[in-house]
Amino acid sequence: MYSYFIPSGKFTQFGSRESCQDLMESNVTEFVLTGLSQNEMVQQVCFLLFLLFYTVIVFGNFLIILTITVSPHLNSPMYFFLRFLSFVDICFSSVTAPKLIIDFQAKIKTISFVGCMAQLFGVHFFGCTEIFILTVMAYDRYVAICKPLHYTTIMGQRVCIILMVSCWAGGFLHSIAQTLLTVWLPFCGPNLIDHYFCDVHPLLKLACTDTYVVGMIVVANSGMISLSCFIILVGSYAVILLSLRTRSSEGRRKALSTCASHIMVVILFFVPCIFIYMRPSTTFTEDKMVAVFYTIITPMLNPLIYTLRNADVKNAVKKQWTKKVTEEMRKDPK
């Protein structure tokens, strides 16, 4: 005998293959999200807080994109990748943050089945693309510091474009695989997702079928991508740090300043991802707070980290603002 919860609120027991098949075909049309908190006062505080976070994400990352685009001095491969990283951060946070902010004002936080699958696709598409971009940025720093004489040859414009296209293509393939694995699962009820956005593990928990194989594929897909890229990043930065022993103190200072910002971003992004996806299809109460780090906190801190730790970006931002203020003063001398 099997027991399932029907959206109408009744339990049905059955043992025949026919009745099981009939029930599994009656998929739910929408899901209900629990959000980050059920306390109304906490939700109002979170509404203002996350609205501020999202504003900083959009403004900060857009400022980096604009600065790199218009500044003639920021034309190296590192800034080419940084511009795309900022763009991905805006897209990545926009998949979850606006819905989360709106839900803080809603009593029942619903999302349609199609909207849930679209959110799942977006989270994994932009998240995986960001993982690959951070890995490519580490390779760029490795070439720049360990092979400076061959840097312009190895990291030419054509190579940078190929690497960036590969990052987006890899993110798409990963995301489409995750989405297809989930979208064909039968969801018979209940439809309550213990999260603030649609993700693989909470959805697998609701599927009315055995999800062991799908869960292992998710670990092999999402988990291994996160872990393998993290190992590559740690290895590349270890090689970089070892190579700095033979450099001058000024060279070491400049290289460490650049790499430190990358390492901070890598830790903030990869550690939560590995915690979430490098395990079987299980959910913990801490998952929601951990997910906040890689969906909202990291995209918000990236502009601050790269601006405060990078003298070239800081100078370029100052020049842009100074130029803008000067132009405004010329237009209106009063």
Side-chain angles (χ1 to χ4, degrees):
M1 287 289 183
Y2 299 91
S3 182
Y4 284 93
F5 180 78
I6 308 301
S8 62
K10 297 179 180 179
F11 282 92
T12 299
Q13 288 188 335
F14 53 90
S16 67
R17 181 178 299 179
E18 290 78 9
S19 58
C20 179
Q21 183 66 30
D22 291 340
L23 184 58
M24 290 175 70
E25 289 177 353
S26 59
N27 291 349
V28 298
T29 58
E30 67 177 16
F31 294 100
V32 178
L33 301 168
T34 60
L36 288 177
S37 174
Q38 302 298 315
N39 186 293
E40 289 189 11
M41 184 175 294
V42 173
Q43 289 191 67
Q44 295 306 313
V45 173
C46 288
F47 171 78
L48 297 174
L49 190 62
F50 282 89
L51 182 61
L52 174 63
F53 287 168
Y54 185 60
T55 303
V56 172
I57 289 170
V58 175
F59 177 77
N61 283 288
F62 179 76
L63 181 61
I64 286 185
I65 294 171
L66 181 64
T67 301
I68 294 174
T69 302
V70 301
S71 178
H73 303 292
L74 303 179
N75 55 3
S76 67
M78 181 177 73
Y79 300 112
F80 171 81
F81 296 127
L82 179 57
R83 179 170 55 182
F84 278 98
L85 178 67
S86 296
F87 175 72
V88 171
D89 277 336
I90 293 175
C91 297
F92 186 36
S93 60
S94 296
V95 175
T96 58
K99 171 66 176 169
L100 173 63
I101 293 168
I102 293 171
D103 283 348
F104 282 130
Q105 300 297 315
K107 290 186 178 180
I108 302 178
K109 306 168 179 58
T110 60
I111 184 171
S112 67
F113 182 86
V114 175
C116 185
M117 293 303 119
Q119 192 177 57
L120 172 67
F121 176 84
V123 166
H124 283 269
F125 176 43
F126 294 114
C128 188
T129 301
E130 179 155 347
I131 285 175
F132 290 144
I133 291 177
L134 289 171
T135 306
V136 168
M137 289 177 73
Y139 174 72
D140 171 71
R141 290 300 84 205
Y142 163 76
V143 176
I145 295 172
C146 299
K147 300 182 180 181
L149 298 178
H150 304 283
Y151 180 64
T152 54
T153 304
I154 297 174
M155 298 300 295
Q157 184 178 9
R158 182 172 176 272
V159 173
C160 291
I161 293 174
I162 291 173
L163 289 173
M164 186 52 58
V165 171
S166 300
C167 290
W168 286 94
F172 176 81
L173 292 174
H174 160 77
S175 184
I176 200 69
Q178 295 288 80
T179 306
L180 289 177
L181 283 171
T182 310
V183 75
W184 296 113
L185 291 174
F187 296 98
C188 317
N191 61 347
L192 183 66
I193 298 177
D194 188 19
H195 216 302
Y196 65 90
F197 68 91
C198 292
D199 202 2
V200 180
H201 287 323
L203 285 170
L204 292 182
K205 191 176 180 181
L206 297 181
C208 50
T209 186
D210 185 10
T211 59
Y212 176 78
V213 175
V214 177
M216 294 308 296
I217 295 174
V218 169
V219 172
N221 192 351
S222 297
M224 290 308 299
I225 287 177
S226 301
L227 183 61
S228 58
C229 288
F230 182 70
I231 292 173
I232 291 172
L233 286 162
V234 171
S236 63
Y237 285 121
V239 173
I240 290 172
L241 293 175
L242 289 174
S243 68
L244 292 177
R245 293 181 301 176
T246 59
R247 302 294 180 87
S248 63
S249 58
E250 179 64 22
R252 285 198 300 269
R253 186 195 63 78
K254 188 175 181 179
L256 286 172
S257 178
T258 302
C259 291
S261 59
H262 293 202
I263 294 171
M264 290 173 65
V265 171
V266 165
I267 292 173
L268 288 171
F269 190 82
F270 277 86
V271 173
C273 286
I274 293 172
F275 174 80
I276 294 291
Y277 298 109
M278 272 302 298
R279 65 173 193 253
S281 181
T282 55
T283 57
F284 299 131
T285 55
E286 297 84 5
D287 287 355
K288 290 186 284 187
M289 293 309 301
V290 172
V292 168
F293 274 90
Y294 66 85
T295 59
I296 295 176
I297 301 299
T298 302
M300 181 185 66
L301 293 180
N302 277 356
L304 299 175
I305 291 172
Y306 282 109
T307 302
L308 296 176
R309 300 287 304 182
N310 192 301
D312 293 335
V313 176
K314 281 193 293 185
N315 292 334
V317 171
K318 288 178 182 177
K319 286 180 181 178
Q320 287 303 124
W321 280 103
T322 304
K323 182 180 178 181
K324 189 173 182 179
V325 171
T326 304
E327 289 177 354
E328 290 295 328
M329 292 178 64
R330 287 176 181 175
K331 291 179 181 178
D332 188 8
K334 297 180 181 181

